[in-house]
Structures are given as C-alpha cells and as structure tokens.
Amino acid sequence: MLRYIKHNMSEIAGIEIFPIISLLIFVLFFIAVLWRMFKMTKAETETYSQIPLTEEDEHLDTKDTKE
Amino acid sequence: MEVIEVKYDNRIVKYFAYATIFWGIIGMIVGLTAALQLAFPNFFNDYLGYKYLSYGRIRPLHTNAVIFAFVGNGIFTGVYYSMQRLLKTRMWSDKLSYLNFWGWQLIIVSAVITLPMGFTSSKEYAELEWPIDIAIALMWVVFGWNMMATLLVRRVKHIYTAIWFYIATFVTVAVLHIFNSFEVPVHFMKSYSWYSGVQDALVQWWYGHNAVAFFLTTPYLGLMYYFVPKAANRPIYSYKLSIIHFWALIFIYIWAGPHHLLYSSLPDWAQSLGVVFSIMLIAPSWGGMLNGLLTLRGAWDKVRDSAVLKFFVVALTAYGMATFEGPMLSLKSINSLTHFTDWTIAHVHVAGLGWNGMLTFGMMYYLFPKLFKVKLYSQSLANAHFWIATLGIILWTIPMYWAGFSQGLMWQEFNADGTLTNPDFLTTVTALKPFYIMRTFGGLIYIIGALLMGYNLIKTAKSGTFANNEVVEVTSSLKTKHSDKGEYWHRVIERKPMRLLLFSVIVILIGGAVEIIPTMAVKSNIKKITQVKPYSPLELEGRDIYIREGCVGCHSQMVRPLRFETERYGEYSKAGEFVYDHPFLWGSKRTGPDLAREGGLRSDSWHYGHLISPKDWSPGSIMPAYPWIAEEKLNTSHLKKKIRVLQGLGVPYPEGYDEQALTDLNEQARGIAANIIKDLSKKESDIQVSDIANKEIIALISYLQRLGTDIKAVPAEIEDTEIETSLK
C-alpha cells in the first residue's frame, strides 16, 4: 500500500513466503480434519452425540449431603 | 462395568448463576448510563458531572462488566454444570472451584472500583491495571487446572465436543491475556505497555479480536452444544460437523485480528491476512450456527412451548447475523465507511445482546428448574421476557446501524468543488442525537426483560428445594477394555485431554506467530522518522491524564490514507510516528473527531475553556466537561520513575534525564499557562500564571498541542508519493 511500509517489510528476509506457508499449514490441517470426519462411522457419531442425553436415567434420590 | 455413586456439585453452579444474573443487570445498567450520557450530555454535565461517573471511565466499566462479569460468570455456570455431567464425575477439587468463584468476583469488584477511579491501561477489554492482570491470570489457571484435572479423572472415554470448546477457551484466553498484558509497572496502579505503536496495536487487536472469539464465542458454542440438545431433548444435528466446526473455528479465528486495523499504519500484508481469514470465518461460524438450529429439525413445535428454546433460537440467529456481518465489515471498502462509527457498536450488540445475552437467559431458564427441582415459577413471564428482550435488541441496534451509516456517509461527502460537505465534525454528531435517544430506549427495555428474569428465577428458587450435591449412579466406561488398534489419530486426541489441549495451543499459536513475529521484527528494521522525538515530561504527564480520563474511547489518533480523512484531518498517520507510544492510542471509535493532527490547530486558551465546558466553546457538543482537571494539581511524584521506565523500554531520553525532567516540566507548564492568561485576561484579569501552571489541565493541553506536530514541522522528508495509487 505505502512505499514507506513496504520498504520496511522488504527488509525481513523471505517475508513473501509467510502467507504461502500459512495457507499450506491451514489446507493440510483442514484436509486431515476432513479425513478424520469422513472416516467416522455412523455408530460412532451416534454414540458421541447421545452423550449429553444419556445422563438423565441414572439419577438416585437427591440428598443434601453437606460436605 | 463398574457402578459408582457420584455427587455433582450443584452449589458452585448456583453461585455462578446468581453472580451471572447480578453482574449482568449491573453491567447493563452501567451501559444504560453511558448511553444516557451520549443522549443527554448537558444533564450529566450540569447535575452529575462527577469525575467517577465520567463517560470515558464508565464506558470501559460497561464493556468489562458485561464481558468478564456477565458472560464470564455465565461461562463458569455452564461449564461447571455440563462438565460434571458430561464426564460423569464431580469437579476435581472443591477448593479450586470455590477459589475460582470468589477470586473471580474479587477481580470484578476491583474492576468496579479501579476503572471509575481512572486506573486503566487504555487497551480495550484489557483496561485493568497490572496487579489485577496478575490476579486474572492466576484465577484463570485455577479454572483451567480444575478443568483439566477433572478431565483426567473422568468416567467416560470420549470427550464430548462441548468440552473441546472449553479447553480451547482456556488455553487461548491464557495465551492472549499473558501476551497482551506485558507491561512495566510505574507504581501500584500504573504501568506502561511493553510494546509501542504499531506492535502494541497489533498485539492489542490480536488480543481484542480473540477475546471476542475465545471469551464470547467458543465457550458459548460449547454451552450451545450441550444445552441446545438438552433443551430440545435430541442429539446435535451433526457430530461430524461439530468436529470440523471446532478445528476450523479455532484455527481461523486467531488470524483475523488485523481487520480491526484496516487502513491504519499496520503493515499491509498483515491487514490482508486479517481480511482473508475473516472471510473464511463465515464457513465454520455458519457451520456451527446451522448445527445448532438444525438440531431442532423436526422439533420446531417444541419451540412454541419452550421459552428456553425460543431464547436459543434467537441466540443462534443473532450469532449467524453477527458472524456474517463481521467478515463483511472486514472488507476494506466496507470498513472505510463503517470503521470508527456506531455501526461497530451495533455489530457488537447484535452479538452481545443477541448471542451472549439470549443464550445466557435460555440457559438460566433451563438450569433453575433443574437445580431447584421445581417447575419454572412463570412460563408466561419467561415468554414475556423473550419478546421484550427481542424487541429491545431491535430497538437498540436499528438506530445504531442507522447512526453509523449516516455518520460514515456524512464524513465522506464532498461538494462539487472538492471541499468537504461537512467540514465541521460536530454537524455529523448532532445529527445522531435522535438515534442515541432511541438506542437508550432499546437498552432500557432489554434491562426490564432481564429484571423480569431475575424476579422469575428468584421466585422459582424460593418455591423449590435445593441440594448442594446431586447424587447419581454412573457406570464407568473407562474400566472396560478397548483396543487401540486401528484407531484413527484424531480419536486418540479426542480421548486424551492433554493432547487435545496441546493441539489447540499449537493451532492457535500458528496464526498468532505468523502475524506477530514479523511485526515485532519490524522494530529493529524500522526506519525511524527523524523528526519524531519522545514526549516532553509535561506532555507525558498529559498523555497519562488522557489515558486516565478514557479520551481514547471517543477520539482516535489514526488518520487513514483516504481522501476524506486527509482532507479533514491532514497528513495520514505513519507507522514511524508511534514508536514512543507506550501504549498506542489509535482508538477504535470516533464519537468525537480524530486528534492525530490536533497539535497547533487551536490556541491553548481554546483548549482550556473547551475542556472545562465543551458546550460553551463548541455549541451542541456532547463531550463531557472536565472541570476537575482544571482544579486538581498535577501529581509529578512518579515523573522520575516514568522517565526511567520508558528509558528501559527504549525511549531515548538522555542519560540522567529523570533528574532534569521536573524542571523542564515546570518551565513548559508556565509557558502554556502564560498563553492562556494572555487570552483570558480580558475577562478574568485576576488569574495569575502560578494559579494554573501546576494544574492537570496544563499537562493535558501540552499533550494535545504536541499531537501530530512532529511531522507537521518538516513534512517533506516523509512525503509518500504512493498515496494516490493506494486510493484507487
């Protein structure tokens, strides 16, 4: 944008590579997560997503046990 | 399978829930006060002109109260409730739980005391001074320690997604808070930022943006992943989507901070990175929103009957709106119009009132009947609260969008002859007055809703029975044998909380490091502007008064390289101008005009009169009056230390200058006082130089008169010919 700033930034060796590295890291990471997601079985996801809903049926009487 | 009896700690949840409601209402009332001050400034100046109530001090109190007290306690309420149940275990340590509670409340109380007193670092959402910063770090570690230890003693194999969001919240907030709080103490309640100028701005907005991301968003998404399925009694729409949502969100969010500094003196490449990642953020944000809303697929009839679900639906919708708008605002062309206006304020309130507020309310209506084993006192009152709150959000935000849009356009408007249509900034402020009044009304309605909730929940609590411990029988699935063979790498991470924590840290550090390290490195390479000199001792003291009074809340010091800005304010701001600014004071809002080139524009006596009574010197002004700074003596007892601290930070005061500073200060002060007397003497001839030379106002005037003058003197040396091309 401004020559003044550009001039300063050009003094950092290899600054141009930063955005490319960051894009690469991001894409690779994202592919890995996608890979994981597609590898999940339906049984797995169903079990996991039921976790918050499976706690209710185990209640005992609520006691006010002062500790 | 082993069956074990577990006692969930409900008391800690109750404590945090009460604190959430209490501080929520307080924070909103403080916000209402600030809104009233903008709508009716004369009333406040004439009848409530106390320094502790001044807008510049009240505004940060509002933001801190709603973020850290209201939402903060809301996070703890939800986390302490859901973690125990998702992990089938009591929190690891009761001591840590209650230390977390009382410590956090103590921090809030110290903020309530110190911010109105003017103890502030001036960095947005990080205003609290260094001793409180340390306390925050400690309490955060207490919370995280308890959480991670609980994860290690859990009785389930898989860690549910909600908790991934809690873990990411913990590590990221810790990293952000620590890095942004590097400051060198001057005395018990004053410090200077370790960073200066551009670096300080980048670190601050890396923090500021991610405070929104990891304090107001990720923990609440965790709560959403728990409470929406619970309230709807059906599993989350897509568990696979939640995995993508989590990793993509935490990875992308951390990069987006520089979008708060578009067109500023921040390096262009950093601005571009911020914009690109902001646009990418739409995907995970909307993924999360849809995952929440689609959970209700086929169960929308439940929304009609459940106030809790109504609140959740509006919360998620507001989240969707805010996370679409955010990336749009980060586009440079849109940002040039909206930045510094009330549009930003409207944007954050869609998220604050809509997403955080409504989700908290829904969660409270869900929790109280569970905790007190009783039906909600009044379902119809809860429904009324829902409609009142929704109406409040609409009445709050629409006037502010309108105000922001109008003011932005007014700033940009040019006449056919190339001059500004509204050269007087004040005309663009007085035009907003009706909107400020309407906004106040919207806020008032929203608070009435919150008060109704408080009443409803207290009534619910009174009619029910509360047990400190909820006893349940759980089967520990960790004792069962399982084979690790053929497991996918990610499942191993999901089962190992410490690995999940480590991965989260790595993921968030990548973005931070790529942006911040080169910008730090600039410091050694930066070509200093030779004319830029350190502040004189009097200017330095004046700058600290500027910080104390929160002037940065309304006045930016950043002229963007846009024609309508340079036409109004003068030469655009350069990175090299801020190298001695610890902290930077670029600001993010222009309720008043930019001050980057204020120096020399007006006489000392104009400033003197204007600061004491703005409306007399600038009719129609909504600026608060500062009569006390004309009466209070300037405290110079820390001057030597200030000079030495700044020398330590690399500001080139000559060796031993701390001994000379006070003499220089007094001399400069007498000069300014004499200027003022000369102009005022026609009216008030009995005032002597010595009467006013030692007052705070003189220091502040000296600072205002210094602003931007370094490069005004010899502008040719830094003239930049590329300015035109950058405007295309």
Side-chain angles (χ1 to χ4, degrees), chain A:
Chain A
M1 179 177 67
L2 308 169
R3 191 181 57 191
Y4 178 73
I5 288 166
K6 267 188 194 162
H7 177 67
N8 287 307
M9 293 320 296
S10 65
E11 287 178 21
I12 295 181
I15 185 75
E16 318 78 43
I17 200 92
F18 272 78
I20 297 164
I21 292 175
S22 43
L23 187 68
L24 260 177
I25 295 170
F26 173 72
V27 170
L28 290 176
F29 184 82
F30 205 75
I31 288 171
V33 174
L34 277 177
W35 174 259
R36 153 66 180 155
M37 194 196 79
F38 285 118
K39 281 291 187 181
M40 275 177 109
T41 64
K42 203 169 163 73
E44 254 183 304
T45 55
E46 269 178 16
T47 325
Y48 296 160
S49 59
Q50 284 293 337
I51 291 174
L53 303 173
T54 50
E55 68 196 39
E56 302 282 83
D57 47 0
E58 299 148 340
H59 273 77
L60 298 177
D61 284 340
T62 304
K63 287 174 280 185
D64 191 358
T65 44
K66 294 236 161 74
E67 283 183 295

Side-chain angles (χ1 to χ4, degrees), chain B residues 85-98:
Chain B
R85 284 153 181 86
L86 287 171
L87 302 176
K88 295 187 177 179
T89 178
R90 190 185 178 86
M91 292 306 292
W92 179 67
S93 159
D94 282 7
K95 280 204 182 77
L96 290 183
S97 298
Y98 291 93

Side-chain angles (χ1 to χ4, degrees), chain B residues 197-340:
Chain B
V198 173
Q199 285 97 8
D200 199 33
L202 183 66
V203 175
Q204 158 59 25
W205 284 111
W206 172 70
Y207 164 88
H209 174 75
N210 289 301
V212 173
F214 288 88
F215 205 88
L216 299 173
T217 309
T218 55
Y220 266 55
L221 285 170
L223 300 183
M224 184 276 280
Y225 273 112
Y226 179 78
F227 285 102
V228 171
K230 290 298 281 185
N233 197 27
R234 48 198 2 248
I236 193 75
Y237 170 67
S238 165
Y239 199 78
K240 288 185 175 181
L241 184 56
S242 72
I243 295 178
I244 296 289
H245 177 206
F246 173 76
W247 288 109
L249 193 85
I250 69 162
F251 188 93
I252 298 175
Y253 238 128
I254 204 82
W255 298 77
H259 70 205
H260 290 258
L261 298 166
L262 298 180
Y263 287 117
S264 74
S265 303
L266 190 74
D268 199 30
W269 65 269
Q271 296 187 29
S272 301
L273 265 184
V275 173
V276 171
F277 278 88
S278 302
I279 298 299
M280 291 206 294
L281 256 180
I282 296 178
S285 301
W286 274 53
M289 171 197 69
L290 291 173
N291 213 358
L293 284 179
L294 289 175
T295 301
L296 299 169
R297 192 182 53 154
W300 284 95
D301 55 308
K302 288 185 178 178
V303 178
R304 198 178 49 200
D305 303 324
S306 158
V308 173
L309 285 178
K310 283 194 188 83
F311 278 106
F312 286 166
V313 167
V314 170
L316 280 161
T317 312
Y319 176 63
M321 291 196 294
T323 53
F324 178 74
E325 188 191 6
M328 293 302 112
L329 292 179
S330 74
L331 293 172
K332 279 184 137 181
S333 51
I334 297 178
N335 192 274
S336 67
L337 171 70
T338 63
H339 197 54
F340 295 127

Side-chain angles (χ1 to χ4, degrees), chain B residues 537 540-541 636-648 651-665:
Chain B
L540 185 65
E541 291 289 0
T636 52
S637 59
H638 300 291
L639 181 61
K640 284 183 183 176
K641 183 79 188 290
K642 284 179 180 178
I643 298 284
R644 286 197 298 270
V645 165
L646 287 174
Q647 280 173 326
V651 179
Y653 290 110
E655 194 65 38
Y657 186 67
D658 54 332
E659 296 298 331
Q660 170 68 27
L662 191 58
T663 318
D664 287 2
L665 181 144

Side-chain angles (χ1 to χ4, degrees), chain B residues 459-476:
Chain B
K459 279 294 206 184
T460 307
K462 287 220 162 122
S463 63
T465 49
F466 180 79
N468 284 341
N469 300 296
E470 186 174 330
V471 188
V472 292
E473 218 167 53
V474 301
T475 45
S476 174

